[in-house]
Amino acid sequence: METPVYPAHNYLSNGHTLRSWLLTKDHKRIAVLYLISISAFFFLGGLFAVGIRLELTTPQGDLFQPDTYNKFFTLHGVIMVFLFLIPSVPAVLGNFLIPPMIGAKDLAFPRINLLSWYLYIIGGLFTLFAIVAGGVDTGWTFYTPYSATSSSSNVAPVALGVFIAGFSSILTGLNFIVTIHRMRAPGLHWFKLPLFVWAHYATSLIQVLGTPVIAITIVMLFVERAFGFGIFDPQRGGDPVLFQHLFWFYSHPAVYIMILPALGVISELVSTFSRKRIFGYSFVAFSSLAIAVFGFIVWAHHMFVAGISVYAAMVFSFLSFSVAIPSAVKVFNWAATMYRGSISFEAPMLYVYGFFGLFLIGGLTGLFLATLGTDIHLHDTYFVVAHFHYIMVGGAIMGYLGGLHFWWPKIFGRMYSEFWSRIAAILVFVGFNLTFFPQFLLGYLGMPRRYHMYPDEFQVLNVLSSAGASILGLGYLIPVIYFAWSLKYGEVAGNNPWGASGLEWRTQSPPLTENFTEVPTDIPEAYEYTPKVVREAKLV
Amino acid sequence: MGGIPLFPEAASSFASEVDALYLFIVAVSAFFTVAVSIAVVVFGIKYRRKHAEEIGAHIEGSLPLELAWSIIPTIILMVMFGWGAKLFYEMRVPPDETLQIYAVGKQWMWKFQHTGGQREINELHVPMGRPIKVLVTSEDVLHDLYFPAFRTKIDAIPGRYSQLWFTATKAGRYRIFCAEYCGTKHSGMIGSVVVMEPPQYQAWLAGGGTEGTMAERGAKLFNDLACNTCHLDSGQGRGPSLKDIIGKPVELAGGGTALVDEGYLRESILNSQAKVVKGFAPLMPTFQGLISEEGLAALIEHIKSLSPQATTSAPALVPAAATISSTPDAPAQGAQR
Amino acid sequence: MSNGNAHAEGASPAHGHDHAHAHHPALQHHFDTMSQQREAGVLGMWVFLLTEVLFFGGLFFAYAIYRSWYYDAFAAASASIEILPGLINTVVLIGSSLTMALSVRAAQTNQRKATVNWLIATIILGTVFLGIKVYEYADKFAHNHVPGASFQFAHVPAPGEPHVEEPAAGHVTTMGHDEIERTTQIFFSLYFTMTGLHAVHMIVGIVILFIITWMAHKGRFDSEWHAPVEMTGLYWHFVDIVWIFLFPLLYLVERHN
């Protein structure tokens, strides 16, 4: 096979000025802008996590003042949820890949796409301002009355930041929905679409329907705090629990915004590295929609001990189990895809393996919380912290990193170090388990969340957890190095280094600004691996 | 690593069932985790790529398989749900006869009141073997009263009562945690619940509470606040009689009924025109801001003592009834807010 | 030309290269045909309006809960709001939807001057609405009906409601706050938040209308392409419909008495 040549004309070389980047309409450049900004916020959020785990190595609160620690976990949550996880896969990979995957030249509304990025940045700046001004200490959940009346910290700027970033998310979702409906190449009907696209479509539905509700909740919190309005203030007839209903009506579906795109990535990776069509394609496609729909009717499972009635609790518990089934269906279908596949173990596939273990544990531990009899004991303990980190980090971030490793050659035209990428994947898997598995045990023992000091009997498990965090941190830092190195010195990738199916792999790497010189017309079924396609693969 | 505990002490009547349900879910989770993990590892080994241009088999799917792995997990989950819901009902609906404790969370301490008059801060003495109901509220922000050894917790919400109940089965000292983030000293808002054998508990009771029982304090307040001028026993006063009303429904002036329990009494004292009894005019002034949580609880205990036969079940969930700021027991002067 | 609510601009893309066939100057290059572009725009605007429904929906939900709990307070508070300005505003806003629809019609039929004139009429009516709102808000400030530290609500018993006796001697009640007064604060909190949010949407709409009017004046629209006018029309009608719900909920609680 001849050595590929790095294409002289591509979207990266199409304009070198700052203006050509900051005023771009190219979805691929916007994706790269997001990549840089969310990575910066990820490491900032990670710094706060370092602070947390350092403090928790000893039972006493001896490293930081209590208020400082409270600000650390709040900012860790706010940054990781709103400024990293929610945008991550859709804003970076979705933005870059959806147009080529459907044979389009760009998203439906390129300027709104750019606006989305600016709104994200402005939201981030408000949050940075709040950090510099002294931080916020309400927890990322901003429960009233504490956030409305008691906390003396910078609630308003963070609330505004989240509000503005929320519109970034809404506009991205809106863009994807219209794009997927109206911009598919001729002949590309829904059931030929990659499952990555289905996943993003389902996610976009949630973004568009759910995010406005937290936006209005923040407005209400803001007017309460800034003007003394009293919608949630019991002294004036308000109900603090109403805030929780409004907050979770969005924030539960939000967790599906965070995981569904990553699940879409996993479909692509499992198929490519097994060189086999996804087993049960339509089941996987519909399960994404089912998760989006069911995700909207389970919010009060965050409130089982918050004073809702016994009967309401039973209804929400029952409905919460409904969400587990489509997720399980996906996992079984992916495993079945590997049966009689042709499997290779490059870095993206290692992230898939890591994902399997961690997403399984994360998803299954949700059952403990959906089950009423156990949730009373486990609510607001470290069990919950472990559960959501297994899904958000073990699931969503593994999916994001796997996708980044898979599509990096397409985005930048370069390969990275296979050796170091595998090391990083393994470090992340090991470090992650060491960090978070002890927290399940801590939770059942009764250690509550958001504690900066704790009774002595919890120390051993906390030390294990902090030790694991250092390994996890290393696993996240190593890719920064080899990815940066690859931009200049990496091997030229060529169109399709993995022998993958999908329209995006038919274009050059990096692609032209308009993606295709001619709109593809002979679009095959999804996930067709032909000898011609696999012959393009660089690796065995 | 020897000596890492996995379970807290199981010290309540339902703790061991919570643990059993937990282990059931652990077993189900372990089964699926191991099964899928083994499958993907075995497939990875058995079907690893053997030459560069190898492709996987052409398989679309299997409807029977999809149905199987949808329906079987659904059945297992329904079992999980059913067991959990049943246990939850037991954990949330107390038996008829309970020993009453009032708990108030405030930044950053727990205040407990026993009906016999004893007051405790951050420590709660309870007898073993008797069902105990704790009525919980907050003076400021959300808190949560959590007893890991009993496997139960409930949020403390300003403006209303919530409750939990337990029967302690094992003597000893166990942790109390606040389990809802409440600000600076959230992690400092911890204490102990001391479960005592009945004889020791009687001894402890005898040693404290010089102010009289809660009901006695409440009776004094009832007179001091002039409740007795309207709420005549005969029922001919401006307000309804308060004898033998606990646990019974009353008809309301605006239509509908209400169950007379702690929550209704609390609401009627603080938000007096919300649920006026049929046949009476809405004349009762509000005591919002004029009475502390402790005084309110004492009044309620006094009114309960006027219904010697009755028991109460879960209080009606009062939507956003008034809250109290922390004032001492006696009627406070001046405006609150 | 993109259809975002906050991001309208006018420049047609420069044509620096050959085309195999002529196309409308407003066709953006990532679309194949004008009809695809228009359909995408319409779908996008409807999705956006759906998000607005959810946005206002949270407030309507809170309103519904509190009204079911504190009906009397809501009735008393609603009764204290002058109905005439609200009525005038409703007529004004419906009228502005009419003028908006007429401007869309004019654009569809290539009538540049009529398009501009109907748009200007819409702007005027929208501004009248906002002016009346300013009057109403000022009135609330004057009566201390703005929630917060200085809130005061004098409760006038309706005919038939028994007169509340003065509390017996020895009681000190909080200054002017029985529980109806307490909970009317919630009503006014919702009143200001809901009408305030609506007013913000009106202001944004008027800004957009100015831009669209300018574009129409410059002759940018024709019968083949007038999507911005249509999109703005959709948005404006939505804002109108929100008011149609707000008016009875806020002004007309128990007015039949």
Side-chain angles (χ1 to χ4, degrees):
Chain A
M1 186 178 52
E2 60 191 69
T3 324
V5 174
Y6 191 88
H9 293 292
N10 57 68
Y11 79 98
L12 289 168
S13 68
N14 193 5
H16 286 108
T17 62
L18 197 60
R19 192 192 147 94
S20 72
W21 277 92
L22 293 181
L23 291 181
T24 182
K25 286 188 291 193
D26 180 0
H27 64 100
K28 298 181 289 300
R29 285 196 165 201
I30 294 173
V32 172
L33 289 174
Y34 268 110
L35 174 63
I36 298 168
S37 22
I38 70 167
S39 302
F41 279 112
F42 175 72
F43 285 106
L44 180 59
L47 272 180
F48 288 118
V50 169
I52 293 171
R53 285 305 338 154
L54 277 176
E55 172 71 271
L56 291 178
T57 47
T58 60
Q60 301 82 17
D62 46 7
L63 192 56
F64 302 115
Q65 293 297 311
D67 281 332
T68 308
Y69 180 85
N70 295 339
K71 290 171 185 172
F72 274 29
F73 71 70
T74 301
L75 290 164
H76 172 73
V78 168
I79 293 173
M80 288 307 201
V81 169
F82 294 112
L83 299 177
F84 176 70
L85 282 167
I86 297 261
S88 62
V89 177
V92 176
L93 297 174
N95 259 331
F96 196 97
L97 295 163
I98 289 179
M101 279 184 175
I102 64 174
K105 294 192 194 127
D106 207 311
L107 294 179
F109 308 119
R111 273 171 287 203
I112 292 187
N113 201 11
L114 184 64
L115 176 65
S116 277
W117 183 73
Y118 276 107
L119 289 174
Y120 167 81
I121 291 295
I122 294 171
L125 286 174
F126 268 97
T127 309
L128 286 175
F129 169 75
I131 294 175
V132 167
V136 61
D137 71 346
T138 57
W140 82 277
T141 47
F142 295 104
Y143 275 13
T144 56
Y146 184 73
S147 61
T149 50
S150 180
S151 169
S152 57
S153 63
N154 300 285
V155 177
V158 175
L160 276 172
V162 171
F163 180 83
I164 294 170
F167 280 97
S168 166
S169 180
I170 291 174
L171 292 177
T172 299
L174 187 155
N175 227 334
F176 286 178
I177 290 175
V178 178
T179 303
I180 297 171
H181 273 285
R182 291 270 173 251
M183 317 265 297
R184 280 169 287 126
L188 182 52
H189 64 79
W190 282 85
F191 289 94
K192 275 188 180 178
L193 286 171
L195 289 164
F196 180 89
V197 177
W198 277 95
H200 280 78
Y201 183 75
T203 305
S204 300
L205 291 175
I206 306 176
Q207 281 176 293
V208 150
L209 294 174
T211 317
V213 178
I214 196 170
I216 197 66
T217 309
I218 290 174
V219 167
M220 288 194 249
L221 178 62
F222 183 80
V223 298
E224 177 126 346
R225 202 169 157 87
F227 307 130
F229 269 18
I231 300 177
F232 304 116
D233 180 6
Q235 298 244 10
R236 287 176 277 179
D239 185 2
V241 181
L242 177 64
F243 178 87
Q244 294 181 41
H245 281 288
L246 288 166
F247 177 84
W248 287 113
F249 186 82
Y250 162 73
S251 298
H252 187 79
V255 312
Y256 298 112
I257 297 177
M258 296 187 257
I259 193 65
L260 270 175
L263 300 183
V265 170
I266 297 292
S267 285
E268 302 303 314
L269 301 187
V270 169
S271 172
T272 300
F273 293 92
S274 310
R275 292 222 180 120
K276 190 163 165 281
R277 184 174 162 78
I278 288 284
F279 192 94
Y281 172 98
S282 41
F283 282 90
V284 178
F286 284 120
S287 68
S288 292
L289 293 178
I291 291 172
V293 169
F294 290 138
F296 272 102
I297 55 175
V298 300
W299 75 90
H301 67 220
H302 299 267
M303 298 167 61
F304 284 150
V305 302
I308 67 175
S309 76
V310 166
Y311 303 107
M314 289 189 185
V315 167
F316 278 101
S317 169
F318 182 83
L319 291 170
S320 299
F321 284 100
S322 72
V323 159
I325 302 291
S327 312
V329 163
K330 279 184 193 272
V331 171
F332 296 141
N333 275 296
W334 289 324
T337 303
M338 293 174 68
Y339 172 75
R340 292 182 60 198
S342 167
I343 301 176
S344 63
F345 299 96
E346 295 87 335
M349 193 54 167
L350 293 187
Y351 280 105
V352 169
Y353 268 92
F355 170 90
F356 269 120
L358 302 179
F359 180 71
L360 269 170
I361 296 177
L364 290 165
T365 50
L367 299 177
F368 292 86
L369 302 172
T371 304
L372 288 165
T374 41
D375 182 74
I376 296 190
H377 178 56
L378 294 171
H379 171 80
D380 235 75
T381 65
Y382 260 85
F383 193 96
V384 179
V385 175
H387 159 70
F388 66 69
H389 280 93
Y390 262 86
I391 309 233
M392 290 300 120
V393 181
I397 296 189
M398 292 298 248
Y400 173 69
L401 288 176
L404 208 54
H405 283 77
F406 182 53
W407 279 293
W408 187 270
K410 176 55 59 182
I411 298 174
F412 294 109
R414 302 268 183 193
M415 306 297 290
Y416 45 82
S417 160
E418 188 55 39
F419 173 75
W420 285 108
S421 62
R422 284 168 162 160
I423 296 284
I426 294 170
L427 279 179
V428 165
F429 182 76
V430 169
F432 177 87
N433 276 306
L434 194 51
T435 309
F436 290 104
F437 199 85
Q439 295 185 7
F440 285 124
L441 306 175
L442 277 172
Y444 205 78
L445 285 171
M447 179 173 172
R449 291 170 72 167
R450 301 173 164 173
Y451 266 36
H452 95 295
M453 58 187 199
Y454 53 82
D456 291 342
E457 65 258 29
F458 296 138
Q459 183 172 21
V460 174
L461 289 167
N462 269 295
V463 169
L464 279 176
S465 178
S466 297
S470 59
I471 300 175
L472 183 60
L474 194 59
Y476 287 139
L477 282 170
I478 292 176
V480 176
I481 302 173
Y482 61 70
F483 275 146
W485 185 92
S486 79
L487 290 176
K488 193 135 188 260
Y489 302 110
E491 201 186 325
V492 174
N495 286 12
N496 190 357
W498 310 113
S501 70
L503 292 179
E504 76 272 25
W505 297 105
R506 293 203 198 169
T507 65
Q508 62 181 58
S509 309
L512 292 165
T513 297
E514 61 267 30
N515 297 337
F516 301 97
T517 42
E518 268 172 33
V519 175
T521 46
D522 55 332
I523 300 174
E525 295 295 319
Y527 310 114
E528 267 200 7
Y529 296 95
T530 59
K532 175 172 170 293
V533 162
V534 306
R535 227 172 277 138
E536 295 170 338
K538 294 185 84 58
L539 303 162
V540 172
Chain B
M1 274 162 280
I4 294 183
L6 292 178
F7 287 82
E9 294 252 33
S12 77
S13 55
F14 40 66
S16 48
E17 192 175 350
V18 173
D19 292 348
L21 175 54
Y22 175 74
L23 286 173
F24 169 67
I25 305 176
V26 168
V28 170
S29 308
F31 171 75
F32 281 103
T33 306
V34 167
V36 174
S37 303
I38 289 183
V40 299
V41 167
V42 164
F43 292 162
I45 296 171
K46 187 165 176 201
Y47 301 112
R48 69 190 176 285
R49 193 165 303 157
K50 296 181 189 63
H51 62 88
E53 289 176 20
E54 189 189 47
I55 309 175
H58 190 83
I59 303 178
E60 296 276 331
S62 155
L63 184 58
L65 213 45
E66 300 282 356
L67 289 174
W69 64 40
S70 302
I71 293 175
I72 295 174
T74 304
I75 296 173
I76 298 174
L77 293 187
M78 288 302 103
V79 169
M80 222 179 263
F81 163 73
W83 187 356
K86 166 198 156 285
L87 180 54
F88 177 72
Y89 189 83
E90 286 165 19
M91 289 168 80
R92 279 314 194 213
V93 180
D96 289 337
E97 292 288 333
T98 56
L99 178 62
Q100 182 94 313
I101 310 261
Y102 288 86
V104 176
K106 88 185 233 9
Q107 285 165 324
W108 286 281
M109 66 168 80
W110 290 103
K111 301 192 283 188
F112 298 105
Q113 279 196 96
H114 297 252
T115 52
Q118 297 80 4
R119 296 203 231 204
E120 306 191 74
I121 292 190
N122 290 335
E123 202 165 84
L124 176 64
H125 287 79
V126 293
M128 198 173 91
R130 278 185 71 182
I132 295 166
K133 186 171 79 167
V134 185
L135 277 178
V136 187
T137 185
S138 162
E139 276 182 22
D140 39 42
V141 299
L142 294 175
H143 300 278
D144 186 291
L145 183 61
Y146 178 31
F147 301 101
F150 304 155
R151 309 289 189 272
T152 187
K153 61 162 67 81
I154 190 74
D155 274 9
I157 306 166
R160 69 162 100 149
Y161 281 138
S162 51
Q163 71 172 33
L164 55 73
W165 84 273
F166 57 85
T167 299
T169 51
K170 208 165 147 193
R173 177 178 282 266
Y174 309 105
R175 299 267 179 210
I176 295 177
F177 290 125
C178 174
E180 183 60 62
Y181 175 69
C182 52
T184 310
K185 293 215 184 81
H186 169 57
S187 30
M189 203 163 146
I190 66 181
S192 304
V193 56
V194 182
V195 178
M196 310 176 104
E197 305 269 3
Q200 276 83 3
Y201 180 70
Q202 290 307 320
W204 177 83
L205 278 181
T210 51
E211 303 170 3
T213 65
M214 277 176 77
E216 286 166 2
R217 273 189 271 127
K220 180 172 181 308
L221 269 176
F222 193 80
N223 292 337
D224 288 347
L225 292 171
C227 316
N228 56 347
T229 59
C230 292
H231 290 284
L232 308 180
D233 283 351
S234 63
Q236 303 302 317
R238 277 167 294 194
S241 162
L242 301 177
K243 276 181 83 70
D244 288 320
I245 58 170
I246 299 294
K248 300 200 176 106
V250 284
E251 277 188 67
L252 301 179
T257 61
L259 181 67
V260 178
D261 59 12
E262 291 92 346
Y264 175 74
L265 293 176
R266 180 199 170 94
E267 183 180 25
S268 299
I269 296 171
L270 299 175
N271 193 7
S272 48
Q273 287 170 24
K275 292 198 177 84
V276 177
V277 175
K278 189 168 171 173
F280 292 91
L283 301 176
M284 179 173 166
T286 172
F287 290 84
Q288 152 77 2
L290 299 175
I291 190 166
S292 65
E293 283 295 344
E294 286 85 347
L296 188 59
L299 263 183
I300 290 174
E301 280 300 304
H302 165 66
I303 297 171
K304 282 165 71 173
S305 72
L306 302 177
S307 301
Q309 306 298 332
T311 58
T312 52
S313 55
L317 281 175
V318 177
T323 190
I324 322 274
S325 46
S326 52
T327 52
D329 217 354
Q333 274 77 43
Q336 289 301 317
R337 303 242 345 261
Chain C
M1 131 96 217
S2 76
N3 330 277
N5 54 316
H7 196 77
E9 54 164 274
S12 301
H15 284 244
H17 47 277
D18 280 345
H19 291 276
H21 54 278
H23 59 72
H24 196 286
L27 178 68
Q28 294 173 62
H29 282 168
H30 56 286
F31 289 111
D32 296 326
T33 63
M34 286 302 287
S35 100
Q36 186 191 33
Q37 179 173 312
R38 185 180 163 278
E39 282 175 24
V42 169
L43 179 58
M45 181 48 87
W46 279 107
V47 172
F48 175 72
L49 292 180
L50 186 57
T51 72
E52 292 275 44
V53 169
L54 268 300
F55 191 48
F56 278 96
L59 283 173
F60 281 98
F61 177 71
Y63 174 92
I65 299 275
Y66 284 128
R67 176 170 161 158
S68 73
W69 288 347
Y70 306 129
Y71 182 76
D72 290 333
F74 271 49
S78 176
S80 76
I81 304 181
E82 261 190 86
I83 202 174
L84 188 60
L87 210 46
I88 295 175
N89 260 351
T90 306
V91 172
V92 162
L93 209 50
I94 295 179
S96 76
S97 262
L98 176 63
T99 55
M100 185 72 230
L102 288 169
S103 85
V104 173
R105 178 85 189 123
Q108 283 171 343
T109 52
N110 248 328
Q111 301 175 56
R112 191 180 65 90
K113 274 187 105 60
T115 307
V116 172
N117 289 338
W118 286 122
L119 284 171
I120 291 177
T122 311
I123 292 175
I124 291 173
L125 289 172
T127 311
V128 167
F129 179 94
L130 288 173
I132 295 179
K133 272 247 90 51
V134 170
Y135 161 77
E136 288 185 286
Y137 276 19
D139 184 67
K140 300 262 166 325
F141 272 89
H143 284 100
N144 281 321
H145 282 175
V146 177
S150 58
F151 181 80
Q152 245 183 317
F153 185 78
H155 175 59
V156 178
E161 198 186 315
H163 178 64
V164 179
E165 256 186 22
E166 287 301 285
H171 292 278
V172 180
T173 54
T174 50
M175 194 176 53
H177 281 99
D178 69 337
E179 59 269 34
I180 286 197
E181 288 184 22
R182 223 170 24 92
T183 50
T184 47
Q185 268 215 58
I186 298 246
F187 175 89
F188 284 105
S189 300
L190 288 168
Y191 171 86
F192 277 102
T193 312
M194 291 164 98
T195 57
L197 192 63
H198 179 261
V200 166
H201 280 79
M202 293 274 308
I203 294 171
V204 170
I206 290 175
V207 168
I208 294 176
L209 279 168
F210 268 111
I211 297 171
I212 302 293
T213 309
W214 177 254
M215 288 173 70
H217 176 66
K218 285 291 191 193
R220 293 270 161 75
F221 305 126
D222 57 31
S223 50
E224 210 197 315
W225 183 69
H226 46 274
V229 187
E230 280 183 315
M231 303 299 117
T232 307
L234 278 175
Y235 175 79
W236 193 259
H237 295 318
F238 172 77
V239 176
D240 188 8
I241 289 181
V242 172
W243 177 260
I244 304 293
F245 279 90
L246 285 184
F247 179 63
L249 289 179
L250 294 174
Y251 289 75
L252 301 181
V253 181
E254 220 176 80
R255 287 280 186 176
H256 57 271
N257 274 351

